[in-house]
Coordinates of all heavy atoms in Angstrom, one line a residue:
Y20 N 12.3 27.2 29.7 CA 11.3 26.5 29.1 C 11.1 26.7 27.7 O 10.9 25.8 26.8 CB 10.0 26.7 29.9 CG 8.8 26.0 29.3 CD1 8.5 24.7 29.7 CD2 7.9 26.6 28.4 CE1 7.4 24.0 29.2 CE2 6.8 26.0 27.9 CZ 6.6 24.6 28.3 OH 5.5 24.0 27.7
W21 N 11.1 28.0 27.3 CA 10.9 28.4 25.9 C 12.0 27.8 25.0 O 11.8 27.4 23.9 CB 10.9 29.9 25.8 CG 10.7 30.4 24.4 CD1 9.5 30.5 23.7 CD2 11.7 30.7 23.4 NE1 9.7 30.9 22.4 CE2 11.0 31.1 22.2 CE3 13.1 30.8 23.5 CZ2 11.7 31.5 21.1 CZ3 13.8 31.3 22.4 CH2 13.1 31.6 21.2
Q22 N 13.3 27.9 25.5 CA 14.4 27.4 24.7 C 14.4 25.9 24.6 O 14.8 25.3 23.6 CB 15.7 27.9 25.3 CG 15.9 29.4 25.2 CD 17.2 29.8 25.8 OE1 17.9 29.1 26.6 NE2 17.6 31.1 25.5
T23 N 14.0 25.2 25.7 CA 14.1 23.7 25.6 C 12.9 23.0 25.3 O 12.9 21.9 24.8 CB 14.6 23.2 27.0 OG1 13.6 23.6 28.0 CG2 15.9 23.8 27.4
V24 N 11.7 23.6 25.5 CA 10.5 22.9 25.3 C 9.6 23.7 24.3 O 9.2 23.3 23.3 CB 9.7 22.6 26.6 CG1 8.4 21.9 26.3 CG2 10.5 21.8 27.5
G25 N 9.3 25.0 24.7 CA 8.3 25.8 23.9 C 8.9 26.1 22.6 O 8.1 26.3 21.6
G26 N 10.2 26.2 22.4 CA 10.7 26.6 21.1 C 10.9 25.5 20.2 O 11.2 25.7 19.0
I27 N 10.6 24.2 20.6 CA 10.8 23.1 19.8 C 9.4 22.6 19.3 O 8.5 22.4 20.1 CB 11.4 21.9 20.5 CG1 12.8 22.3 21.0 CG2 11.6 20.7 19.6 CD1 13.5 21.3 21.9
P28 N 9.2 22.6 18.0 CA 7.8 22.1 17.5 C 7.5 20.7 18.0 O 8.4 19.9 18.1 CB 8.0 22.1 16.0 CG 9.2 23.0 15.7 CD 10.1 22.8 16.9
T29 N 6.2 20.6 18.3 CA 5.8 19.3 18.8 C 5.9 18.2 17.6 O 5.4 18.5 16.5 CB 4.3 19.4 19.3 OG1 4.3 20.3 20.3 CG2 3.8 18.0 19.8
A30 N 6.4 17.1 17.9 CA 6.6 16.1 16.9 C 5.4 15.2 16.9 O 5.0 14.7 18.0 CB 7.9 15.3 17.1
Y31 N 4.7 14.9 15.8 CA 3.6 14.1 15.7 C 4.0 12.8 15.0 O 4.7 12.8 14.0 CB 2.5 14.7 14.9 CG 1.9 15.9 15.6 CD1 2.3 17.2 15.3 CD2 0.9 15.8 16.6 CE1 1.8 18.3 16.0 CE2 0.4 16.9 17.3 CZ 0.8 18.1 17.0 OH 0.3 19.2 17.6
A32 N 3.5 11.7 15.5 CA 3.8 10.4 14.8 C 3.1 10.3 13.5 O 1.9 10.8 13.3 CB 3.3 9.2 15.7
P33 N 3.8 9.9 12.4 CA 3.1 9.8 11.1 C 1.9 8.9 11.1 O 1.9 7.9 11.8 CB 4.3 9.3 10.2 CG 5.2 8.6 11.1 CD 5.1 9.4 12.4
I34 N 0.9 9.2 10.3 CA -0.3 8.4 10.2 C 0.0 7.2 9.3 O 0.5 7.4 8.2 CB -1.5 9.2 9.7 CG1 -1.8 10.4 10.6 CG2 -2.7 8.3 9.5 CD1 -2.8 11.3 10.0
A35 N -0.2 6.0 9.9 CA 0.1 4.8 9.1 C -1.1 4.6 8.2 O -2.3 4.5 8.6 CB 0.2 3.6 10.1
H36 N -0.8 4.4 6.9 CA -1.8 4.1 5.9 C -1.7 2.6 5.5 O -0.7 2.2 5.0 CB -1.6 5.0 4.6 CG -1.8 6.4 4.9 ND1 -3.0 7.0 5.0 CD2 -0.9 7.4 5.1 CE1 -2.9 8.3 5.3 NE2 -1.6 8.6 5.3
H37 N -2.8 1.9 5.8 CA -2.8 0.5 5.6 C -3.2 0.2 4.1 O -4.1 0.7 3.6 CB -3.8 -0.2 6.5 CG -4.0 -1.7 6.2 ND1 -3.1 -2.6 6.4 CD2 -5.1 -2.3 5.7 CE1 -3.5 -3.8 6.0 NE2 -4.8 -3.7 5.6
D38 N -2.3 -0.6 3.5 CA -2.6 -1.0 2.1 C -3.3 -2.3 2.1 O -2.7 -3.3 2.4 CB -1.3 -1.0 1.3 CG -1.5 -1.4 -0.2 OD1 -2.7 -1.5 -0.6 OD2 -0.5 -1.6 -0.9
P39 N -4.6 -2.3 1.7 CA -5.3 -3.6 1.8 C -4.8 -4.6 0.7 O -5.2 -5.8 0.8 CB -6.8 -3.2 1.5 CG -6.7 -1.9 0.8 CD -5.4 -1.2 1.4
T40 N -4.0 -4.2 -0.3 CA -3.5 -5.1 -1.3 C -2.1 -5.5 -1.0 O -1.4 -6.1 -1.9 CB -3.7 -4.5 -2.7 OG1 -2.9 -3.3 -2.8 CG2 -5.1 -4.1 -3.0
A41 N -1.5 -5.1 0.1 CA -0.1 -5.5 0.4 C 0.0 -7.0 0.4 O -0.8 -7.7 1.0 CB 0.3 -4.9 1.8
G42 N 1.0 -7.5 -0.2 CA 1.2 -9.0 -0.3 C 0.5 -9.7 -1.4 O 0.6 -10.9 -1.6
W43 N -0.3 -8.9 -2.2 CA -1.1 -9.5 -3.3 C -0.2 -9.7 -4.5 O 0.9 -9.1 -4.6 CB -2.2 -8.6 -3.7 CG -3.4 -8.6 -2.8 CD1 -3.4 -8.9 -1.5 CD2 -4.8 -8.3 -3.1 NE1 -4.7 -8.8 -1.0 CE2 -5.5 -8.4 -2.0 CE3 -5.4 -7.9 -4.3 CZ2 -6.9 -8.1 -1.9 CZ3 -6.8 -7.6 -4.3 CH2 -7.5 -7.8 -3.1
Q44 N -0.6 -10.6 -5.4 CA 0.1 -10.9 -6.6 C -0.3 -10.0 -7.7 O -1.4 -9.4 -7.6 CB -0.1 -12.4 -7.0 CG 0.2 -13.4 -5.9 CD 1.6 -13.4 -5.5 OE1 2.5 -13.4 -6.4 NE2 1.9 -13.5 -4.2
T45 N 0.5 -9.8 -8.7 CA 0.1 -9.0 -9.9 C 0.0 -9.9 -11.1 O 1.0 -10.7 -11.4 CB 1.2 -7.9 -10.1 OG1 1.2 -7.1 -9.0 CG2 0.8 -7.0 -11.3
Y46 N -1.1 -9.7 -11.8 CA -1.3 -10.4 -13.1 C -1.2 -9.4 -14.2 O -1.8 -8.3 -14.1 CB -2.6 -11.1 -13.2 CG -3.0 -11.6 -14.5 CD1 -2.6 -12.9 -15.0 CD2 -3.7 -10.8 -15.4 CE1 -2.9 -13.3 -16.2 CE2 -4.0 -11.3 -16.7 CZ -3.6 -12.5 -17.1 OH -3.9 -13.0 -18.4
T47 N -0.5 -9.7 -15.3 CA -0.4 -8.8 -16.4 C -0.7 -9.6 -17.7 O -0.2 -10.7 -17.9 CB 1.1 -8.2 -16.6 OG1 1.4 -7.5 -15.4 CG2 1.2 -7.3 -17.8
N48 N -1.6 -9.0 -18.5 CA -1.9 -9.6 -19.8 C -1.3 -8.7 -20.9 O -1.9 -7.6 -21.1 CB -3.4 -9.7 -20.0 CG -3.8 -10.5 -21.2 OD1 -3.5 -10.1 -22.3 ND2 -4.6 -11.6 -21.0
S49 N -0.2 -9.1 -21.5 CA 0.4 -8.3 -22.5 C -0.4 -8.2 -23.8 O -0.2 -7.2 -24.5 CB 1.8 -8.8 -22.8 OG 1.8 -10.2 -23.2
V50 N -1.2 -9.2 -24.1 CA -2.0 -9.2 -25.3 C -3.2 -8.2 -25.2 O -3.4 -7.3 -26.1 CB -2.5 -10.5 -25.7 CG1 -3.4 -10.5 -27.0 CG2 -1.4 -11.5 -25.9
G51 N -3.9 -8.3 -24.1 CA -5.0 -7.3 -23.8 C -4.5 -6.0 -23.4 O -5.2 -5.0 -23.5
G52 N -3.3 -5.9 -22.8 CA -2.7 -4.6 -22.4 C -3.3 -4.1 -21.1 O -3.7 -2.9 -21.0
Y53 N -3.4 -5.0 -20.1 CA -3.9 -4.6 -18.8 C -3.2 -5.4 -17.7 O -2.6 -6.4 -17.9 CB -5.4 -4.7 -18.7 CG -5.9 -6.2 -18.9 CD1 -6.0 -7.1 -17.9 CD2 -6.3 -6.6 -20.2 CE1 -6.4 -8.4 -18.1 CE2 -6.8 -7.9 -20.4 CZ -6.8 -8.8 -19.3 OH -7.2 -10.1 -19.5
S54 N -3.4 -4.9 -16.5 CA -2.9 -5.7 -15.3 C -3.8 -5.4 -14.1 O -4.6 -4.4 -14.1 CB -1.4 -5.2 -15.0 OG -1.4 -3.9 -14.5
F55 N -3.7 -6.2 -13.1 CA -4.4 -6.0 -11.9 C -3.7 -6.9 -10.8 O -2.9 -7.8 -11.0 CB -5.9 -6.5 -12.0 CG -6.1 -7.9 -12.4 CD1 -6.1 -8.9 -11.5 CD2 -6.3 -8.2 -13.8 CE1 -6.3 -10.2 -11.9 CE2 -6.5 -9.5 -14.2 CZ -6.5 -10.5 -13.2
K56 N -4.0 -6.5 -9.5 CA -3.6 -7.3 -8.4 C -4.7 -8.3 -7.9 O -5.9 -7.9 -8.0 CB -3.1 -6.4 -7.2 CG -1.8 -5.7 -7.5 CD -1.4 -4.9 -6.3 CE -0.1 -4.1 -6.5 NZ 0.4 -3.4 -5.3
Y57 N -4.3 -9.4 -7.3 CA -5.3 -10.3 -6.8 C -4.8 -10.9 -5.5 O -3.6 -11.0 -5.3 CB -5.6 -11.4 -7.8 CG -4.4 -12.3 -8.3 CD1 -4.2 -13.5 -7.6 CD2 -3.5 -11.8 -9.3 CE1 -3.1 -14.3 -8.0 CE2 -2.5 -12.6 -9.6 CZ -2.3 -13.8 -9.0 OH -1.2 -14.6 -9.4
P58 N -5.7 -11.4 -4.6 CA -5.3 -11.9 -3.3 C -4.3 -13.1 -3.4 O -4.4 -13.8 -4.4 CB -6.6 -12.3 -2.7 CG -7.7 -11.5 -3.4 CD -7.2 -11.3 -4.8
S59 N -3.5 -13.2 -2.4 CA -2.5 -14.2 -2.4 C -3.1 -15.6 -2.3 O -2.5 -16.6 -2.7 CB -1.5 -14.1 -1.2 OG -2.2 -14.0 0.0
D60 N -4.4 -15.7 -1.8 CA -5.0 -17.0 -1.8 C -5.9 -17.3 -3.0 O -6.8 -18.2 -3.0 CB -5.8 -17.2 -0.5 CG -6.8 -16.1 -0.3 OD1 -6.8 -15.1 -1.0 OD2 -7.7 -16.3 0.6
W61 N -5.8 -16.4 -4.0 CA -6.5 -16.6 -5.3 C -5.5 -17.0 -6.4 O -4.3 -17.0 -6.1 CB -7.2 -15.3 -5.8 CG -8.5 -14.9 -5.0 CD1 -8.9 -15.3 -3.8 CD2 -9.4 -14.0 -5.5 NE1 -10.0 -14.8 -3.5 CE2 -10.5 -13.9 -4.5 CE3 -9.6 -13.2 -6.7 CZ2 -11.6 -13.1 -4.6 CZ3 -10.7 -12.5 -6.8 CH2 -11.7 -12.4 -5.8
Q62 N -6.1 -17.4 -7.5 CA -5.3 -17.7 -8.7 C -5.7 -16.8 -9.8 O -6.9 -16.4 -9.9 CB -5.4 -19.2 -9.1 CG -5.1 -20.2 -8.0 CD -3.7 -20.2 -7.5 OE1 -2.8 -20.0 -8.4 NE2 -3.4 -20.3 -6.2
A63 N -4.8 -16.5 -10.7 CA -5.1 -15.8 -11.9 C -4.4 -16.4 -13.1 O -3.2 -16.7 -13.0 CB -4.8 -14.3 -11.8
A64 N -5.1 -16.6 -14.2 CA -4.5 -17.2 -15.4 C -5.1 -16.7 -16.6 O -6.2 -16.2 -16.7 CB -4.7 -18.7 -15.3
T65 N -4.3 -16.8 -17.7 CA -4.8 -16.4 -19.0 C -5.7 -17.5 -19.5 O -5.3 -18.7 -19.4 CB -3.6 -16.1 -20.0 OG1 -2.8 -15.1 -19.5 CG2 -4.1 -15.7 -21.4
S66 N -6.8 -17.1 -20.1 CA -7.7 -18.1 -20.6 C -7.1 -19.0 -21.7 O -6.4 -18.5 -22.6 CB -9.0 -17.5 -21.2 OG -9.8 -18.4 -21.9
N67 N -7.3 -20.3 -21.7 CA -6.8 -21.2 -22.7 C -7.5 -21.0 -24.0 O -6.9 -21.4 -25.1 CB -7.0 -22.6 -22.2 CG -6.1 -23.0 -21.1 OD1 -5.0 -22.4 -20.9 ND2 -6.6 -23.9 -20.2

């Protein structure tokens, strides 16, 4: 038992970390020098 079971560390399943921004788009403003992500059902544009 010790060699086959007790001597083997118990394996734990990794904790899944949900990214709430997965699949979002990225907007970058090179003039202002900033960026951010926004939902896929939103729009983002540079002001005219």
